[in-house]
PDB file of all heavy atoms in Angstrom:
ATOM      1  N   THR A  22       6.493 -40.092-135.957  1.00 95.00           N
ATOM      2  CA  THR A  22       6.429 -38.625-135.957  1.00 95.00           C
ATOM      3  C   THR A  22       6.676 -38.161-134.532  1.00 95.00           C
ATOM      4  O   THR A  22       6.123 -38.738-133.591  1.00 95.00           O
ATOM      5  CB  THR A  22       5.045 -38.129-136.411  1.00 95.00           C
ATOM      6  OG1 THR A  22       4.842 -38.539-137.750  1.00 95.00           O
ATOM      7  CG2 THR A  22       4.942 -36.605-136.343  1.00 95.00           C
ATOM      8  N   GLU A  23       7.506 -37.152-134.403  1.00 96.00           N
ATOM      9  CA  GLU A  23       7.792 -36.638-133.058  1.00 96.00           C
ATOM     10  C   GLU A  23       6.503 -36.043-132.491  1.00 96.00           C
ATOM     11  O   GLU A  23       5.874 -35.206-133.140  1.00 96.00           O
ATOM     12  CB  GLU A  23       8.877 -35.568-133.175  1.00 96.00           C
ATOM     13  CG  GLU A  23       9.780 -35.452-131.969  1.00 96.00           C
ATOM     14  CD  GLU A  23      10.312 -36.776-131.448  1.00 96.00           C
ATOM     15  OE1 GLU A  23      10.826 -37.594-132.240  1.00 96.00           O
ATOM     16  OE2 GLU A  23      10.205 -36.984-130.226  1.00 96.00           O
ATOM     17  N   PRO A  24       6.090 -36.493-131.327  1.00 96.00           N
ATOM     18  CA  PRO A  24       4.857 -35.917-130.758  1.00 96.00           C
ATOM     19  C   PRO A  24       5.073 -34.450-130.377  1.00 96.00           C
ATOM     20  O   PRO A  24       6.215 -34.038-130.188  1.00 96.00           O
ATOM     21  CB  PRO A  24       4.608 -36.775-129.513  1.00 96.00           C
ATOM     22  CG  PRO A  24       5.908 -37.406-129.194  1.00 96.00           C
ATOM     23  CD  PRO A  24       6.691 -37.496-130.463  1.00 96.00           C
ATOM     24  N   PRO A  25       3.999 -33.687-130.258  1.00 95.00           N
ATOM     25  CA  PRO A  25       4.166 -32.262-129.940  1.00 95.00           C
ATOM     26  C   PRO A  25       4.790 -32.076-128.560  1.00 95.00           C
ATOM     27  O   PRO A  25       4.553 -32.884-127.664  1.00 95.00           O
ATOM     28  CB  PRO A  25       2.745 -31.711-129.974  1.00 95.00           C
ATOM     29  CG  PRO A  25       1.856 -32.888-129.950  1.00 95.00           C
ATOM     30  CD  PRO A  25       2.602 -34.060-130.420  1.00 95.00           C
ATOM     31  N   PRO A  26       5.570 -30.994-128.400  1.00 91.00           N
ATOM     32  CA  PRO A  26       6.169 -30.758-127.086  1.00 91.00           C
ATOM     33  C   PRO A  26       5.063 -30.493-126.069  1.00 91.00           C
ATOM     34  O   PRO A  26       4.045 -29.893-126.394  1.00 91.00           O
ATOM     35  CB  PRO A  26       7.024 -29.505-127.308  1.00 91.00           C
ATOM     36  CG  PRO A  26       6.480 -28.869-128.529  1.00 91.00           C
ATOM     37  CD  PRO A  26       5.902 -29.963-129.376  1.00 91.00           C
ATOM     38  N   LEU A  28       3.242 -32.780-124.696  1.00 97.00           N
ATOM     39  CA  LEU A  28       2.357 -33.947-124.557  1.00 97.00           C
ATOM     40  C   LEU A  28       2.904 -34.913-123.501  1.00 97.00           C
ATOM     41  O   LEU A  28       2.145 -35.509-122.741  1.00 97.00           O
ATOM     42  CB  LEU A  28       2.216 -34.650-125.924  1.00 97.00           C
ATOM     43  CG  LEU A  28       1.272 -35.839-125.965  1.00 97.00           C
ATOM     44  CD1 LEU A  28      -0.122 -35.467-125.496  1.00 97.00           C
ATOM     45  CD2 LEU A  28       1.194 -36.440-127.369  1.00 97.00           C
ATOM     46  N   ARG A  31       2.058 -33.551-120.141  1.00 96.00           N
ATOM     47  CA  ARG A  31       0.608 -33.681-119.879  1.00 96.00           C
ATOM     48  C   ARG A  31       0.261 -35.131-119.557  1.00 96.00           C
ATOM     49  O   ARG A  31      -0.573 -35.407-118.696  1.00 96.00           O
ATOM     50  CB  ARG A  31      -0.182 -33.198-121.105  1.00 96.00           C
ATOM     51  CG  ARG A  31      -0.104 -31.703-121.332  1.00 96.00           C
ATOM     52  CD  ARG A  31      -1.323 -31.186-122.101  1.00 96.00           C
ATOM     53  NE  ARG A  31      -1.492 -31.812-123.383  1.00 96.00           N
ATOM     54  CZ  ARG A  31      -0.842 -31.444-124.500  1.00 96.00           C
ATOM     55  NH1 ARG A  31       0.019 -30.453-124.454  1.00 96.00           N
ATOM     56  NH2 ARG A  31      -1.059 -32.058-125.643  1.00 96.00           N
TER      57      ARG A  31
ATOM     58  N   THR B  55       6.507 -43.438-128.134  1.00 97.00           N
ATOM     59  CA  THR B  55       5.448 -42.517-128.552  1.00 97.00           C
ATOM     60  C   THR B  55       5.560 -42.038-129.998  1.00 97.00           C
ATOM     61  O   THR B  55       4.523 -41.869-130.653  1.00 97.00           O
ATOM     62  CB  THR B  55       5.333 -41.342-127.565  1.00 97.00           C
ATOM     63  OG1 THR B  55       5.068 -41.892-126.275  1.00 97.00           O
ATOM     64  CG2 THR B  55       4.207 -40.411-127.941  1.00 97.00           C
ATOM     65  N   LEU B  58       3.696 -44.610-131.924  1.00 98.00           N
ATOM     66  CA  LEU B  58       2.298 -44.620-131.506  1.00 98.00           C
ATOM     67  C   LEU B  58       1.565 -43.382-132.021  1.00 98.00           C
ATOM     68  O   LEU B  58       0.449 -43.480-132.547  1.00 98.00           O
ATOM     69  CB  LEU B  58       2.229 -44.672-129.976  1.00 98.00           C
ATOM     70  CG  LEU B  58       0.846 -44.582-129.346  1.00 98.00           C
ATOM     71  CD1 LEU B  58       0.038 -45.831-129.640  1.00 98.00           C
ATOM     72  CD2 LEU B  58       0.935 -44.355-127.844  1.00 98.00           C
ATOM     73  N   TYR B  59       2.206 -42.233-131.899  1.00 98.00           N
ATOM     74  CA  TYR B  59       1.571 -40.978-132.305  1.00 98.00           C
ATOM     75  C   TYR B  59       1.294 -40.976-133.810  1.00 98.00           C
ATOM     76  O   TYR B  59       0.208 -40.592-134.253  1.00 98.00           O
ATOM     77  CB  TYR B  59       2.477 -39.812-131.920  1.00 98.00           C
ATOM     78  CG  TYR B  59       1.930 -38.452-132.291  1.00 98.00           C
ATOM     79  CD1 TYR B  59       0.721 -38.004-131.783  1.00 98.00           C
ATOM     80  CD2 TYR B  59       2.640 -37.610-133.145  1.00 98.00           C
ATOM     81  CE1 TYR B  59       0.221 -36.757-132.113  1.00 98.00           C
ATOM     82  CE2 TYR B  59       2.151 -36.355-133.483  1.00 98.00           C
ATOM     83  CZ  TYR B  59       0.943 -35.939-132.969  1.00 98.00           C
ATOM     84  OH  TYR B  59       0.449 -34.708-133.298  1.00 98.00           O
ATOM     85  N   GLN B  60       2.260 -41.434-134.592  1.00 98.00           N
ATOM     86  CA  GLN B  60       2.058 -41.476-136.047  1.00 98.00           C
ATOM     87  C   GLN B  60       0.921 -42.432-136.401  1.00 98.00           C
ATOM     88  O   GLN B  60       0.066 -42.116-137.247  1.00 98.00           O
ATOM     89  CB  GLN B  60       3.364 -41.909-136.727  1.00 98.00           C
ATOM     90  CG  GLN B  60       3.229 -42.089-138.222  1.00 98.00           C
ATOM     91  CD  GLN B  60       2.822 -40.812-138.943  1.00 98.00           C
ATOM     92  OE1 GLN B  60       3.607 -39.878-139.069  1.00 98.00           O
ATOM     93  NE2 GLN B  60       1.580 -40.748-139.391  1.00 98.00           N
ATOM     94  N   LEU B  61       0.912 -43.577-135.765  1.00 97.00           N
ATOM     95  CA  LEU B  61      -0.164 -44.555-136.033  1.00 97.00           C
ATOM     96  C   LEU B  61      -1.533 -43.948-135.708  1.00 97.00           C
ATOM     97  O   LEU B  61      -2.481 -44.047-136.512  1.00 97.00           O
ATOM     98  CB  LEU B  61       0.084 -45.818-135.184  1.00 97.00           C
ATOM     99  CG  LEU B  61      -1.055 -46.830-135.146  1.00 97.00           C
ATOM    100  CD1 LEU B  61      -1.303 -47.442-136.520  1.00 97.00           C
ATOM    101  CD2 LEU B  61      -0.766 -47.942-134.134  1.00 97.00           C
ATOM    102  N   LEU B  62      -1.621 -43.311-134.549  1.00 98.00           N
ATOM    103  CA  LEU B  62      -2.914 -42.767-134.134  1.00 98.00           C
ATOM    104  C   LEU B  62      -3.348 -41.594-135.014  1.00 98.00           C
ATOM    105  O   LEU B  62      -4.526 -41.458-135.344  1.00 98.00           O
ATOM    106  CB  LEU B  62      -2.852 -42.337-132.655  1.00 98.00           C
ATOM    107  CG  LEU B  62      -2.676 -43.502-131.678  1.00 98.00           C
ATOM    108  CD1 LEU B  62      -2.451 -43.002-130.256  1.00 98.00           C
ATOM    109  CD2 LEU B  62      -3.882 -44.438-131.722  1.00 98.00           C
ATOM    110  N   ARG B  63      -2.382 -40.788-135.420  1.00 97.00           N
ATOM    111  CA  ARG B  63      -2.718 -39.678-136.338  1.00 97.00           C
ATOM    112  C   ARG B  63      -3.301 -40.235-137.630  1.00 97.00           C
ATOM    113  O   ARG B  63      -4.260 -39.717-138.182  1.00 97.00           O
ATOM    114  CB  ARG B  63      -1.453 -38.896-136.683  1.00 97.00           C
ATOM    115  CG  ARG B  63      -1.179 -37.741-135.761  1.00 97.00           C
ATOM    116  CD  ARG B  63       0.019 -36.978-136.240  1.00 97.00           C
ATOM    117  NE  ARG B  63      -0.349 -35.921-137.159  1.00 97.00           N
ATOM    118  CZ  ARG B  63       0.353 -35.579-138.233  1.00 97.00           C
ATOM    119  NH1 ARG B  63       1.445 -36.222-138.545  1.00 97.00           N
ATOM    120  NH2 ARG B  63      -0.034 -34.601-138.991  1.00 97.00           N
ATOM    121  N   ARG B  64      -2.666 -41.295-138.111  1.00 97.00           N
ATOM    122  CA  ARG B  64      -3.125 -41.862-139.389  1.00 97.00           C
ATOM    123  C   ARG B  64      -4.503 -42.501-139.221  1.00 97.00           C
ATOM    124  O   ARG B  64      -5.384 -42.339-140.066  1.00 97.00           O
ATOM    125  CB  ARG B  64      -2.099 -42.883-139.859  1.00 97.00           C
ATOM    126  CG  ARG B  64      -2.204 -43.237-141.314  1.00 97.00           C
ATOM    127  CD  ARG B  64      -0.954 -43.915-141.799  1.00 97.00           C
ATOM    128  NE  ARG B  64       0.054 -42.976-142.253  1.00 97.00           N
ATOM    129  CZ  ARG B  64       1.359 -43.115-142.016  1.00 97.00           C
ATOM    130  NH1 ARG B  64       1.816 -44.122-141.309  1.00 97.00           N
ATOM    131  NH2 ARG B  64       2.209 -42.223-142.471  1.00 97.00           N
ATOM    132  N   LEU B  65      -4.686 -43.220-138.132  1.00 97.00           N
ATOM    133  CA  LEU B  65      -5.993 -43.856-137.906  1.00 97.00           C
ATOM    134  C   LEU B  65      -7.081 -42.803-137.723  1.00 97.00           C
ATOM    135  O   LEU B  65      -8.230 -43.029-138.078  1.00 97.00           O
ATOM    136  CB  LEU B  65      -5.940 -44.757-136.662  1.00 97.00           C
ATOM    137  CG  LEU B  65      -5.124 -46.042-136.793  1.00 97.00           C
ATOM    138  CD1 LEU B  65      -5.063 -46.764-135.445  1.00 97.00           C
ATOM    139  CD2 LEU B  65      -5.712 -46.968-137.854  1.00 97.00           C
ATOM    140  N   LEU B  66      -6.711 -41.672-137.146  1.00 96.00           N
ATOM    141  CA  LEU B  66      -7.705 -40.623-136.872  1.00 96.00           C
ATOM    142  C   LEU B  66      -7.678 -39.546-137.953  1.00 96.00           C
ATOM    143  O   LEU B  66      -7.953 -38.372-137.681  1.00 96.00           O
ATOM    144  CB  LEU B  66      -7.460 -40.041-135.468  1.00 96.00           C
ATOM    145  CG  LEU B  66      -7.693 -41.054-134.347  1.00 96.00           C
ATOM    146  CD1 LEU B  66      -7.108 -40.583-133.034  1.00 96.00           C
ATOM    147  CD2 LEU B  66      -9.176 -41.362-134.191  1.00 96.00           C
ATOM    148  N   SER B  67      -7.320 -39.943-139.163  1.00 93.00           N
ATOM    149  CA  SER B  67      -7.397 -39.067-140.343  1.00 93.00           C
ATOM    150  C   SER B  67      -6.562 -37.808-140.217  1.00 93.00           C
ATOM    151  O   SER B  67      -6.934 -36.767-140.750  1.00 93.00           O
ATOM    152  CB  SER B  67      -8.847 -38.682-140.634  1.00 93.00           C
ATOM    153  OG  SER B  67      -9.580 -39.824-140.901  1.00 93.00           O
ATOM    154  N   GLY B  68      -5.472 -37.874-139.467  1.00 92.00           N
ATOM    155  CA  GLY B  68      -4.575 -36.725-139.403  1.00 92.00           C
ATOM    156  C   GLY B  68      -5.017 -35.633-138.459  1.00 92.00           C
ATOM    157  O   GLY B  68      -4.467 -34.537-138.491  1.00 92.00           O
ATOM    158  N   HIS B  69      -6.007 -35.922-137.610  1.00 93.00           N
ATOM    159  CA  HIS B  69      -6.458 -34.896-136.653  1.00 93.00           C
ATOM    160  C   HIS B  69      -5.522 -34.901-135.442  1.00 93.00           C
ATOM    161  O   HIS B  69      -5.565 -35.804-134.607  1.00 93.00           O
ATOM    162  CB  HIS B  69      -7.902 -35.158-136.227  1.00 93.00           C
ATOM    163  CG  HIS B  69      -8.872 -35.015-137.345  1.00 93.00           C
ATOM    164  ND1 HIS B  69      -9.318 -33.784-137.771  1.00 93.00           N
ATOM    165  CD2 HIS B  69      -9.444 -35.928-138.151  1.00 93.00           C
ATOM    166  CE1 HIS B  69     -10.148 -33.953-138.796  1.00 93.00           C
ATOM    167  NE2 HIS B  69     -10.229 -35.253-139.044  1.00 93.00           N
ATOM    168  N   ASP B  70      -4.688 -33.864-135.359  1.00 94.00           N
ATOM    169  CA  ASP B  70      -3.650 -33.831-134.329  1.00 94.00           C
ATOM    170  C   ASP B  70      -4.215 -33.861-132.910  1.00 94.00           C
ATOM    171  O   ASP B  70      -3.709 -34.567-132.051  1.00 94.00           O
ATOM    172  CB  ASP B  70      -2.776 -32.579-134.498  1.00 94.00           C
ATOM    173  CG  ASP B  70      -1.935 -32.672-135.769  1.00 94.00           C
ATOM    174  OD1 ASP B  70      -1.721 -33.789-136.258  1.00 94.00           O
ATOM    175  OD2 ASP B  70      -1.499 -31.620-136.262  1.00 94.00           O
ATOM    176  N   ALA B  71      -5.222 -33.047-132.670  1.00 95.00           N
ATOM    177  CA  ALA B  71      -5.755 -32.958-131.298  1.00 95.00           C
ATOM    178  C   ALA B  71      -6.319 -34.312-130.869  1.00 95.00           C
ATOM    179  O   ALA B  71      -6.118 -34.759-129.730  1.00 95.00           O
ATOM    180  CB  ALA B  71      -6.828 -31.879-131.222  1.00 95.00           C
ATOM    181  N   ASP B  72      -7.033 -34.984-131.789  1.00 95.00           N
ATOM    182  CA  ASP B  72      -7.576 -36.304-131.473  1.00 95.00           C
ATOM    183  C   ASP B  72      -6.442 -37.289-131.205  1.00 95.00           C
ATOM    184  O   ASP B  72      -6.522 -38.124-130.304  1.00 95.00           O
ATOM    185  CB  ASP B  72      -8.418 -36.825-132.645  1.00 95.00           C
ATOM    186  CG  ASP B  72      -9.727 -36.059-132.770  1.00 95.00           C
ATOM    187  OD1 ASP B  72     -10.008 -35.232-131.876  1.00 95.00           O
ATOM    188  OD2 ASP B  72     -10.462 -36.289-133.750  1.00 95.00           O
ATOM    189  N   ALA B  73      -5.388 -37.189-132.018  1.00 97.00           N
ATOM    190  CA  ALA B  73      -4.259 -38.108-131.842  1.00 97.00           C
ATOM    191  C   ALA B  73      -3.590 -37.880-130.492  1.00 97.00           C
ATOM    192  O   ALA B  73      -3.191 -38.839-129.815  1.00 97.00           O
ATOM    193  CB  ALA B  73      -3.257 -37.933-132.972  1.00 97.00           C
ATOM    194  N   GLU B  74      -3.485 -36.613-130.073  1.00 97.00           N
ATOM    195  CA  GLU B  74      -2.864 -36.333-128.768  1.00 97.00           C
ATOM    196  C   GLU B  74      -3.709 -36.922-127.633  1.00 97.00           C
ATOM    197  O   GLU B  74      -3.178 -37.521-126.706  1.00 97.00           O
ATOM    198  CB  GLU B  74      -2.699 -34.826-128.574  1.00 97.00           C
ATOM    199  CG  GLU B  74      -1.623 -34.246-129.462  1.00 97.00           C
ATOM    200  CD  GLU B  74      -1.480 -32.740-129.302  1.00 97.00           C
ATOM    201  OE1 GLU B  74      -1.622 -32.241-128.169  1.00 97.00           O
ATOM    202  OE2 GLU B  74      -1.237 -32.065-130.314  1.00 97.00           O
ATOM    203  N   ASP B  75      -5.038 -36.737-127.746  1.00 96.00           N
ATOM    204  CA  ASP B  75      -5.918 -37.333-126.725  1.00 96.00           C
ATOM    205  C   ASP B  75      -5.742 -38.841-126.704  1.00 96.00           C
ATOM    206  O   ASP B  75      -5.694 -39.470-125.642  1.00 96.00           O
ATOM    207  CB  ASP B  75      -7.395 -37.011-127.037  1.00 96.00           C
ATOM    208  CG  ASP B  75      -7.729 -35.555-126.762  1.00 96.00           C
ATOM    209  OD1 ASP B  75      -6.896 -34.872-126.132  1.00 96.00           O
ATOM    210  OD2 ASP B  75      -8.805 -35.110-127.197  1.00 96.00           O
ATOM    211  N   ALA B  76      -5.652 -39.411-127.894  1.00 97.00           N
ATOM    212  CA  ALA B  76      -5.533 -40.872-127.989  1.00 97.00           C
ATOM    213  C   ALA B  76      -4.203 -41.360-127.409  1.00 97.00           C
ATOM    214  O   ALA B  76      -4.155 -42.409-126.767  1.00 97.00           O
ATOM    215  CB  ALA B  76      -5.683 -41.314-129.442  1.00 97.00           C
ATOM    216  N   VAL B  77      -3.142 -40.587-127.621  1.00 98.00           N
ATOM    217  CA  VAL B  77      -1.839 -40.972-127.029  1.00 98.00           C
ATOM    218  C   VAL B  77      -1.965 -41.004-125.508  1.00 98.00           C
ATOM    219  O   VAL B  77      -1.528 -41.957-124.848  1.00 98.00           O
ATOM    220  CB  VAL B  77      -0.733 -39.979-127.455  1.00 98.00           C
ATOM    221  CG1 VAL B  77       0.509 -40.136-126.583  1.00 98.00           C
ATOM    222  CG2 VAL B  77      -0.349 -40.200-128.908  1.00 98.00           C
ATOM    223  N   GLN B  78      -2.581 -39.972-124.952  1.00 98.00           N
ATOM    224  CA  GLN B  78      -2.724 -39.933-123.492  1.00 98.00           C
ATOM    225  C   GLN B  78      -3.561 -41.105-122.986  1.00 98.00           C
ATOM    226  O   GLN B  78      -3.185 -41.765-122.024  1.00 98.00           O
ATOM    227  CB  GLN B  78      -3.385 -38.623-123.072  1.00 98.00           C
ATOM    228  CG  GLN B  78      -2.449 -37.429-123.169  1.00 98.00           C
ATOM    229  CD  GLN B  78      -3.026 -36.218-122.449  1.00 98.00           C
ATOM    230  OE1 GLN B  78      -4.067 -35.706-122.836  1.00 98.00           O
ATOM    231  NE2 GLN B  78      -2.351 -35.759-121.435  1.00 98.00           N
ATOM    232  N   GLN B 112     -12.568 -43.766-130.008  1.00 93.00           N
ATOM    233  CA  GLN B 112     -12.715 -42.338-130.307  1.00 93.00           C
ATOM    234  C   GLN B 112     -13.527 -42.127-131.594  1.00 93.00           C
ATOM    235  O   GLN B 112     -14.370 -41.239-131.662  1.00 93.00           O
ATOM    236  CB  GLN B 112     -11.330 -41.722-130.448  1.00 93.00           C
ATOM    237  CG  GLN B 112     -11.257 -40.343-129.871  1.00 93.00           C
ATOM    238  CD  GLN B 112      -9.858 -39.784-129.917  1.00 93.00           C
ATOM    239  OE1 GLN B 112      -9.420 -39.347-130.966  1.00 93.00           O
ATOM    240  NE2 GLN B 112      -9.167 -39.810-128.800  1.00 93.00           N
ATOM    241  N   ARG B 116     -17.044 -40.097-131.355  1.00 77.00           N
ATOM    242  CA  ARG B 116     -17.183 -38.787-132.009  1.00 77.00           C
ATOM    243  C   ARG B 116     -17.891 -38.890-133.352  1.00 77.00           C
ATOM    244  O   ARG B 116     -18.342 -37.893-133.870  1.00 77.00           O
ATOM    245  CB  ARG B 116     -15.818 -38.141-132.187  1.00 77.00           C
ATOM    246  CG  ARG B 116     -15.151 -37.998-130.825  1.00 77.00           C
ATOM    247  CD  ARG B 116     -13.913 -37.201-130.860  1.00 77.00           C
ATOM    248  NE  ARG B 116     -13.336 -37.193-129.517  1.00 77.00           N
ATOM    249  CZ  ARG B 116     -12.214 -36.616-129.180  1.00 77.00           C
ATOM    250  NH1 ARG B 116     -11.511 -35.989-130.092  1.00 77.00           N
ATOM    251  NH2 ARG B 116     -11.769 -36.660-127.949  1.00 77.00           N
ATOM    252  N   ARG B 118     -17.020 -38.784-136.244  1.00 53.00           N
ATOM    253  CA  ARG B 118     -16.657 -37.635-137.079  1.00 53.00           C
ATOM    254  C   ARG B 118     -17.188 -37.812-138.499  1.00 53.00           C
ATOM    255  O   ARG B 118     -17.609 -36.903-139.162  1.00 53.00           O
ATOM    256  CB  ARG B 118     -15.129 -37.544-137.116  1.00 53.00           C
ATOM    257  CG  ARG B 118     -14.588 -36.375-137.872  1.00 53.00           C
ATOM    258  CD  ARG B 118     -13.093 -36.395-137.804  1.00 53.00           C
ATOM    259  NE  ARG B 118     -12.616 -36.328-136.425  1.00 53.00           N
ATOM    260  CZ  ARG B 118     -12.639 -35.228-135.686  1.00 53.00           C
ATOM    261  NH1 ARG B 118     -13.152 -34.129-136.191  1.00 53.00           N
ATOM    262  NH2 ARG B 118     -12.185 -35.223-134.464  1.00 53.00           N
ATOM    263  N   GLU B 145      -1.463 -40.504-148.658  1.00 94.00           N
ATOM    264  CA  GLU B 145      -1.828 -40.171-147.268  1.00 94.00           C
ATOM    265  C   GLU B 145      -3.214 -39.540-147.222  1.00 94.00           C
ATOM    266  O   GLU B 145      -4.039 -39.871-146.371  1.00 94.00           O
ATOM    267  CB  GLU B 145      -0.781 -39.221-146.701  1.00 94.00           C
ATOM    268  CG  GLU B 145      -0.825 -39.026-145.200  1.00 94.00           C
ATOM    269  CD  GLU B 145      -0.097 -40.118-144.417  1.00 94.00           C
ATOM    270  OE1 GLU B 145       1.119 -40.006-144.207  1.00 94.00           O
ATOM    271  OE2 GLU B 145      -0.780 -41.085-144.014  1.00 94.00           O
ATOM    272  N   ALA B 149      -6.640 -41.014-145.504  1.00 95.00           N
ATOM    273  CA  ALA B 149      -7.348 -40.232-144.481  1.00 95.00           C
ATOM    274  C   ALA B 149      -8.827 -40.088-144.823  1.00 95.00           C
ATOM    275  O   ALA B 149      -9.667 -39.958-143.933  1.00 95.00           O
ATOM    276  CB  ALA B 149      -6.703 -38.854-144.344  1.00 95.00           C
TER     277      ALA B 149
END
Side-chain angles (χ1 to χ4, degrees):
Chain A
T22 297
E23 211 47 49
L28 183 56
R31 290 205 302 277
Chain B
T55 302
L58 175 69
Y59 180 60
Q60 175 61 72
L61 170 65
L62 293 173
R63 269 184 90 218
R64 198 163 273 140
L65 289 175
L66 295 165
S67 299
H69 295 280
D70 291 339
D72 289 353
E74 289 178 37
D75 287 348
V77 165
Q78 286 193 296
Q112 218 175 78
R116 302 189 183 178
R118 183 179 300 286
E145 193 83 87

